[in-house]
Amino acid sequence: MKPTGILFFPAFDWAISPTHPEREERLLYTRDQIFEEGIMDLPQIREYEPGIASHSDVARLHFCIPDVAAQVTEAHLISAGSSLRIADAVMQGEVRNGFAIVRPPGHHSMTVSHGNRGFCNINNEAILVEYLRHKYNIKKVAIVDTDVHHGDGTQEIFWDDPDVLFISFHQDGRTLYPGSGFLDELGGPLAYGTTINLPLRPRTTDTGILYALDELIMPLLDEFKPEIVINSAGQDNHYTDPLADMAFTAQGYAKLNSRLAPDIAVLEGGYSVETALPYINMGLIMAMAGMDYSSLREPDFNPVRFQESSGNLEYIKQMVDRQLNAFRHREEVINANRKKGDDFFKSQRSIFYDTEYISEDQRISLRNCNKCGGFRIIDSSAQHHDGKYYTAYCISVPFWACDGCQQEARSLYADVLRKTPNRQVFLQDRPANQFRCYDVETEKETIL
Amino acid sequence: MLIGIDVGGTYTDGVIFDQGEIKASTKASTDSEDIKGSVLRVLEQLLGARNPQDIQRVVLGTTLVTNILATGRGEPAGLLLLPGYGLPHDAYSISPHTWYLKGAVDFRGREIEPLDQKELAEALRAISAKGLSRVAVAAKFANRNSKHEQEIREYILENYPDIKVSISSEVSGKLNFPRRAVTTYFTAMTLSEWNKFADEIESALQQRGIDTSADILKADGGTVSLASSRIMPCETVFSGPAASTMGALALNRDKLNSVVIDVGGTTSDISLIIDGEPLYAAKGAVIENHLTHVNAFAVRSLALGGDSPIIVVNGIPELSPIRQGPAACFGGQVPTVIDAFNIHYALNIGDAEASQVKLASMAGDHALSLDQMTAVIVEKVTERLMKAIEEMFSQWEKEPAYKVWEVIHRRKFELQQLIGIGAAAEAILPPLAERMGVHLFMHKYSAVANALGASVVRPTLSVQVHVDTAANICTIDPGGKQAPLPQGAKTQLEDVKALACKYLVGIGGERGMGDYTGEYKFFMQEQFNTIRGYSGSGKLFDVGVQVKPGFIKEYKGVRS
Ligand SMILES: [Zn+2]
Ligand SMILES: [Zn+2]
């Protein structure tokens, strides 16, 4: 059997700030544990060296304002690039699956990036999805977000993409950052039902989470038939996590990963650096490599400590039924939306960047197309903490966009840059793998 | 006068070196059943009528430990493993005599689970019943807290005074439990035979009237005194490649990126030198198919040497890995690689006529022309060497990295020269150097560079300290001792560096390194703030300091 690829990049010289949860120490004890176990020496494991994502890998997914260099440090490019490195190893058949244990994380980062949100600047898994499409012509992808926080960035990015099934289970947004991820967030008008959220009550245990896995996530994957399954592998559902309040164990994480059998897992959050991460990471590696993890446990593990209440299990059951139903009726809803929609579906929203105190307003238009999921325009303006103001008109053409959408998007770009009140106009032309940015003031265009 | 002796698998080489010149050199077959005898015969030949009082230094590189382990002559030993809660037990296949015990500590050295005394007593009863008189003990994270290993040793000393115990925390302080367990187990298996060898060498030198004691060459390219070699005999494995690589450096001391190729009878050993410093194997030496904590050069061995016989398979000339004696030009029965190069490049080595006759007859048997035959062999040899070298470059370039700085400062291996070592290098390497577009450095002493290297390398020592200020503990490797911090919770990186130096000087002194301990360099300086809640609770440090491989002060280079 082929080995499991592991790419361990703990970024021991990078932190958001010295005492921030995203600091050098975060993967130190994970390093100690997996090196002491000698896991990289095993024939079942192949260790990979970090990669570096290019600016065009980032621009394929994000609109970085004002440019990629402003939004990423070398650490971000290595974290994203390492996810791509592991993806290459999987796609080229060197390994059967792969786990990028990397930081900084990315799942709160959205399409337009004005700064750091929820410890994230750029979205590793989403960059990975567009890379898989560009390099390997992949169409259907499933992302299962197992972080305790709602993967709001990833959700927003694939909100209008009918070929990405995004499933997130998380602690209920009424009790935890970022306050989203409710049952009725099911995707955009032409991609309805391929965003699935499962907000769980605080202190949900292994039993509850594995029930959701078996009864909701696995059936969804069976029916959606993705070419690739990605685990957005946060580790903060653990019972010792300081930022959340769930009761998941290392055994639970290991079981989840052996049943989910993701092709690629990428580390997201998880801030119980001593009492959870070393053991969860071991569990994930062993599960992905098909090894017996039955003797793995946390030092303070007590098998009878967390018992799922029958009330909570019943609550989860109801949510599972409701979400399965929404998914199974998605095409009817999409067809109805197409019929009743105008040329463009319009919406707007405000986004707050907790880490950097940036307030952003977006006006969003999605082309109502009967051949594809449509292309998307985000008209964004953001006020920074220091009073600076940024405006950008962002046109995003999906990799699988129909010819009509591609042409219309390109001519829109040429048209808009002559009359927009915004400072910058972007055209993210994924089918052409060309990422343009026009600066209205300097009249200069940069192409990545 | 300095004596260097390198016991290899096939041959034992020896030189007497003095005033920048080799005064005598000798080569004899190695008797793998009697390494001591092989050493002493070569020593005798070198000394001849010389005054033994003039010998200032004797350095030995031997394959004894490798032989003991490879031939199953090691002393049977029991292995007690305390793997804690992680990998399944079947992940560890080290010894047929393995017992698993409860008892666990974590990465900060905190006890998770105590020893189970009843279980320990049962294991020892079984070990004793099997008649094993040696035990190796390895516990996970014993390098952070060796309490359980110490308790087990005390129990055995008290209850089974005849059983000797090696514990892993004293063998290595590095992370990687399986490697630490293997290294401890091999140490236990080889200690008594190594000690016997050391005793015999000591008394032989005395009898011969040599005043100085012997030094032993280690896999890391440095020496250790014979007395100190008794602590961890495993360090003496792979002294052959270490001798050749250090010999190459002794002959060419430019700070360049070089590939050293030691072309022997049936093997070629390739090592890398980066900016004048030998490259180490990232994962430690592989002994008997197990990764260990023995620090060794990164060496790739190919079953390909000057004496590799030529055979024809399905009409195509090939190389056989099994030696059948010397090359035809040196009186051998079958044509070898040397013969092919001899004819193809008209090198006129030995009896070139014999090369010609044997090759021509083999070519004729398979309807090949002589030229076709030699061209194919030259191409195959060059190709295989080049492929191995390129794989080593790419492996070095693809080492994992754990810091942003390391990733963005990655380098490509930019080769500046080849250094040829061994008798057959001069014949075989020129086409390779030409193909790779670099200069081939050869020296008149290339053929005996290994023994020369052994005679002039200095002692090495690497000391690593792990400091946990919250626990007020400093752990010192080698030895595994723990001590409180002189500066307590206020300890800073500079304090830890000073501590590391203090221990280097102390341990080096005990091991007879003299003032070489003054020539240390730091190879690791890591510090982490440990934050609990919203403020700092302490710091963790890992600092490594070493006396790197180099040459003794008396060595001023060779006279050209
Ligand atoms: Zn999270
Ligand atoms: Zn379309």
Side-chain angles (χ1 to χ4, degrees):
Chain A
M1 194 156 70
K2 280 181 194 164
T4 288
I6 302 293
L7 200 158
F8 181 59
F9 180 68
F12 281 151
D13 50 356
W14 183 88
I16 289 181
S17 75
T19 57
H20 195 279
E22 262 316 326
R23 63 179 180 274
E24 297 88 341
E25 187 194 6
R26 187 170 162 226
L27 289 173
L28 177 61
Y29 312 106
T30 293
R31 188 270 312 258
D32 285 356
Q33 191 73 33
I34 63 181
F35 283 18
E36 175 68 353
E37 296 278 4
I39 204 145
M40 301 296 199
D41 295 351
L42 294 172
Q44 296 96 324
I45 302 295
R46 180 163 166 191
E47 187 178 9
Y48 281 86
E49 80 287 357
I52 305 181
S54 66
H55 283 198
S56 105
D57 289 328
V58 177
R60 191 179 294 119
L61 189 276
H62 287 292
F63 296 102
C64 290
I65 314 296
D67 55 24
V68 176
Q71 287 313 327
V72 299
T73 64
E74 282 149 343
H76 295 104
L77 291 177
I78 297 168
S79 189
S82 296
S83 316
L84 306 185
R85 179 79 192 85
I86 268 298
D88 282 333
V90 171
M91 294 307 296
Q92 289 164 21
E94 294 170 7
V95 293
R96 64 186 201 134
N97 51 22
F99 181 19
I101 311 175
V102 296
R103 53 181 288 269
H107 75 145
H108 295 305
S109 171
M110 298 187 169
T111 308
V112 180
S113 180
H114 285 278
N116 185 296
R117 262 193 100 244
F119 315 168
C120 308
N121 283 62
I122 54 173
N123 193 311
N124 297 328
E125 292 87 348
I127 288 172
L128 170 54
V129 168
E130 292 307 334
Y131 178 81
L132 288 171
R133 287 173 161 171
H134 160 66
K135 193 161 174 189
Y136 301 101
N137 226 33
I138 294 284
K139 189 167 189 185
K140 291 173 87 176
V141 181
I143 300 176
V144 181
D145 190 313
T146 56
D147 192 281
V148 77
H149 301 96
H150 175 228
D152 57 346
T154 317
Q155 168 170 306
E156 181 274 338
I157 288 165
F158 298 113
W159 185 252
D160 292 309
D161 189 332
D163 296 315
V164 173
L165 172 61
F166 173 73
I167 309 169
S168 178
F169 68 80
H170 42 264
Q171 186 177 320
D172 194 318
R174 285 169 297 193
T175 61
L176 191 68
Y177 179 89
S180 55
F182 298 104
L183 290 171
D184 55 0
E185 295 167 32
L186 288 159
L190 302 186
Y192 179 89
T194 44
T195 295
I196 298 285
N197 284 293
L198 197 71
L200 297 168
R201 285 177 180 160
R203 283 180 289 285
T204 298
T205 67
D206 289 5
T207 311
I209 290 176
L210 294 173
Y211 176 86
L213 176 77
D214 293 338
E215 302 302 324
L216 175 64
I217 298 173
M218 299 314 290
L220 289 177
L221 295 178
D222 279 348
E223 292 175 34
F224 184 71
K225 298 193 178 22
E227 294 152 75
I228 294 278
V229 176
I230 298 169
N231 180 0
S232 184
Q235 310 191 338
D236 34 15
N237 279 293
H238 193 262
Y239 62 86
T240 62
D241 196 88
L243 306 185
D245 195 20
M246 298 291 266
F248 209 35
T249 68
Q251 274 291 322
Y253 267 109
K255 284 178 189 149
L256 181 144
N257 275 276
S258 62
R259 295 187 208 168
L260 181 64
D263 300 290
I264 299 164
V266 179
L267 176 65
E268 280 298 333
Y271 299 95
S272 174
V273 299
E274 285 202 68
T275 46
L277 265 57
Y279 308 102
I280 298 174
N281 279 308
M282 271 295 291
L284 252 76
I285 295 171
M286 290 163 78
M288 288 184 70
M291 297 170 68
D292 170 14
Y293 50 79
S294 58
S295 68
L296 172 80
R297 64 169 178 77
E298 301 86 341
D300 66 345
F301 178 75
N302 174 355
V304 297
R305 182 162 150 206
F306 302 111
Q307 301 288 347
E308 197 57 84
S309 74
S310 57
N312 190 34
L313 209 53
E314 188 51 41
Y315 172 71
I316 296 170
K317 264 182 200 168
Q318 283 169 12
M319 290 194 294
V320 164
D321 292 344
R322 183 173 157 183
Q323 297 302 66
L324 273 179
N325 191 53
F327 175 78
R328 287 172 180 157
H329 292 91
R330 66 188 186 284
E331 276 165 22
E332 298 149 40
V333 176
I334 291 172
N335 287 337
N337 288 342
R338 269 207 177 93
K339 269 192 207 125
K340 68 175 189 240
D342 298 331
D343 286 355
F344 281 88
F345 298 97
K346 302 213 166 173
S347 58
Q348 51 189 20
R349 66 173 159 235
S350 298
I351 296 162
F352 181 64
Y353 291 63
D354 61 310
T355 332
E356 294 187 316
Y357 300 103
I358 300 167
S359 307
E360 182 192 6
D361 286 308
Q362 292 187 350
R363 277 175 297 157
I364 303 142
S365 316
L366 177 79
R367 184 176 186 240
N368 186 3
C369 178
N370 55 15
K371 295 213 180 64
C372 74
F375 73 88
R376 187 158 78 162
I377 303 154
I378 304 175
D379 189 343
S380 161
S381 59
Q383 174 110 44
H384 282 235
H385 192 47
D386 59 8
K388 281 206 182 103
Y389 201 65
Y390 293 83
T391 52
Y393 190 87
C394 310
I395 307 165
S396 174
V397 191
F399 185 81
W400 293 102
C402 70
D403 288 346
C405 283
Q406 293 186 30
Q407 276 157 26
E408 189 170 329
R410 287 170 196 142
S411 58
L412 178 67
Y413 171 74
D415 201 32
V416 159
L417 52 83
R418 272 182 268 123
K419 52 190 183 198
T420 180
N422 289 337
R423 171 71 194 258
Q424 290 178 293
V425 182
F426 289 84
L427 176 68
Q428 188 175 59
D429 192 342
R430 289 178 185 140
N433 199 43
Q434 204 175 60
F435 313 106
R436 296 169 180 270
C437 170
Y438 183 78
D439 187 308
V440 173
E441 229 157 85
T442 63
E443 301 186 354
K444 274 198 184 118
E445 187 183 48
T446 49
I447 305 175
L448 283 174
Chain B
M1 281 193 284
L2 313 173
I3 289 184
I5 296 176
D6 174 31
V7 182
T10 320
Y11 295 112
T12 298
D13 293 309
V15 298
I16 289 192
F17 186 75
D18 192 31
Q19 316 266 333
E21 285 179 353
I22 288 178
K23 302 292 182 189
S25 71
T26 183
K27 193 180 203 70
S29 294
T30 301
D31 179 356
S32 59
E33 302 284 296
D34 181 19
I35 301 269
K36 178 205 63 173
S38 306
V39 169
L40 294 182
R41 269 192 300 283
V42 164
L43 183 67
E44 206 51 51
Q45 283 168 26
L46 288 172
L47 279 175
R50 287 184 174 80
N51 181 0
Q53 298 288 324
D54 292 342
I55 305 298
Q56 294 142 320
R57 190 177 198 222
V58 178
V59 181
L60 307 176
T62 92
T63 51
L64 179 62
V65 166
T66 315
N67 277 349
I68 295 172
L69 293 171
T71 56
R73 289 206 318 276
E75 188 178 352
L79 178 63
L80 293 179
L81 290 181
L82 289 73
Y85 296 91
L87 291 180
H89 290 172
D90 62 18
Y92 312 104
S93 60
I94 299 170
S95 163
H97 315 298
T98 305
W99 283 265
Y100 296 93
L101 299 181
K102 289 196 195 69
V105 298
D106 76 0
F107 36 82
R108 296 288 291 273
R110 293 168 296 216
E111 186 176 53
I112 296 172
E113 181 187 65
L115 275 183
D116 180 334
Q117 292 297 332
K118 204 171 135 241
E119 197 184 55
L120 174 61
E122 271 167 30
L124 260 299
R125 264 199 298 280
I127 286 170
S128 166
K130 276 213 163 148
L132 299 170
S133 57
R134 274 202 187 263
V135 170
V137 185
K140 197 167 280 173
F141 287 117
N143 55 334
R144 297 286 162 83
N145 179 357
S146 59
K147 176 175 180 269
H148 294 151
E149 291 187 349
Q150 306 275 5
E151 285 174 11
I152 291 171
R153 178 160 64 187
E154 275 159 36
Y155 175 86
I156 297 175
L157 283 176
E158 212 166 283
N159 297 280
Y160 299 87
D162 295 336
I163 296 182
K164 296 194 177 64
V165 186
S166 302
I167 63 175
S168 84
S169 50
E170 290 183 355
V171 168
S172 175
K174 292 196 194 101
L175 290 168
N176 199 315
F177 167 67
R179 289 188 214 166
R180 209 165 54 242
V182 164
T183 315
T184 310
Y185 180 62
F186 286 165
T187 299
M189 287 176 82
T190 53
L191 260 178
S192 66
E193 194 164 337
W194 180 266
N195 284 337
K196 193 166 141 247
F197 170 78
D199 290 343
E200 287 169 346
I201 293 290
E202 229 160 36
S203 70
L205 292 183
Q206 253 172 25
Q207 274 173 20
R208 196 60 179 75
I210 296 176
D211 272 346
T212 178
S213 169
D215 285 336
I216 303 294
L217 189 64
K218 296 184 296 178
D220 73 356
T223 62
V224 59
S225 69
L226 188 60
S228 301
S229 73
R230 296 167 187 260
I231 302 168
M232 192 171 151
C234 288
E235 286 183 330
T236 68
V237 296
F238 306 126
S239 55
S244 310
T245 308
M246 292 310 291
L249 271 175
L251 295 175
N252 184 320
R253 300 173 81 182
D254 301 328
K255 288 209 170 304
L256 296 177
N257 294 335
S258 317
V259 170
V260 179
I261 309 178
D262 181 357
V263 187
T266 50
T267 56
S268 294
D269 290 337
I270 307 172
S271 57
L272 302 187
I273 292 175
I274 299 171
D275 288 339
E277 290 187 7
L279 176 71
Y280 285 93
K283 293 190 163 188
V286 177
I287 307 176
E288 290 296 292
N289 295 319
H290 285 285
L291 287 163
T292 67
H293 275 313
V294 173
N295 202 14
F297 291 161
V299 176
R300 187 164 288 220
S301 284
L302 299 185
L304 164 71
D307 296 345
S308 298
I310 295 168
I311 50 176
V312 179
V313 182
N314 301 327
I316 298 164
E318 298 278 2
L319 304 165
S320 157
I322 302 147
R323 187 173 187 268
Q324 295 176 26
C329 59
F330 296 124
Q333 295 307 305
V334 294
T336 73
V337 165
I338 285 281
D339 293 310
F341 279 73
N342 199 11
I343 297 308
H344 198 79
Y345 293 102
L347 299 174
N348 218 4
I349 302 169
D351 179 1
E353 184 72 29
S355 298
Q356 168 99 24
V357 169
K358 297 275 187 202
L359 282 166
S361 128
M362 184 178 266
D365 289 350
H366 296 91
L368 293 163
S369 77
L370 181 61
D371 197 50
Q372 277 173 328
M373 176 108 173
T374 57
V376 168
I377 293 301
V378 167
E379 172 64 22
K380 285 203 167 155
V381 169
T382 307
E383 191 62 37
R384 277 183 59 189
L385 288 169
M386 196 160 105
K387 192 164 159 261
I389 291 169
E390 280 168 355
E391 280 171 10
M392 288 184 83
F393 289 171
S394 121
Q395 207 170 23
W396 176 76
E397 286 158 8
K398 287 184 181 167
E399 278 299 318
Y402 307 115
K403 290 183 183 153
V404 174
W405 192 91
E406 292 168 349
V407 179
I408 59 177
H409 287 87
R410 266 179 195 287
R411 296 189 292 169
K412 272 197 80 63
F413 194 96
E414 276 166 30
L415 179 64
Q416 290 164 305
Q417 65 175 355
L418 293 186
I419 303 179
I421 298 294
E426 195 161 11
I428 288 174
L429 299 181
L432 175 67
E434 197 183 317
R435 174 95 62 100
M436 298 188 80
V438 288
H439 172 65
L440 171 64
F441 175 87
M442 293 285 307
H443 190 276
K444 65 178 174 183
Y445 293 153
S446 280
V448 288
N450 54 340
L452 168 68
S455 74
V456 295
V457 295
R458 72 183 183 189
T460 49
L461 178 63
S462 167
V463 167
Q464 235 171 290
V465 295
H466 176 79
V467 165
D468 189 330
T469 65
N472 190 30
I473 282 178
C474 169
T475 312
I476 304 108
D477 175 42
K481 291 206 170 58
Q482 293 195 316
L485 300 165
Q487 286 86 3
K490 293 202 189 77
T491 303
Q492 296 297 325
L493 182 61
E494 289 310 311
D495 305 321
V496 181
K497 287 170 72 177
L499 261 183
C501 289
K502 188 189 100 178
Y503 286 115
L504 180 90
V505 170
I507 296 168
E510 285 165 24
R511 296 188 178 187
M513 283 180 69
D515 49 9
Y516 286 108
T517 54
E519 300 183 18
Y520 57 78
K521 284 208 167 83
F522 291 96
F523 64 92
M524 184 201 307
Q525 301 181 40
E526 283 185 356
Q527 63 169 322
F528 291 92
N529 294 322
T530 59
I531 312 286
R532 296 299 166 266
Y534 291 96
S535 60
S537 70
K539 282 177 187 287
L540 290 169
F541 298 96
D542 281 293
V543 170
V545 60
Q546 69 177 151
V547 178
K548 285 185 184 174
F551 300 101
I552 54 175
K553 293 190 187 79
E554 297 87 324
Y555 181 65
K556 308 281 186 218
V558 285
R559 285 197 200 156
S560 45

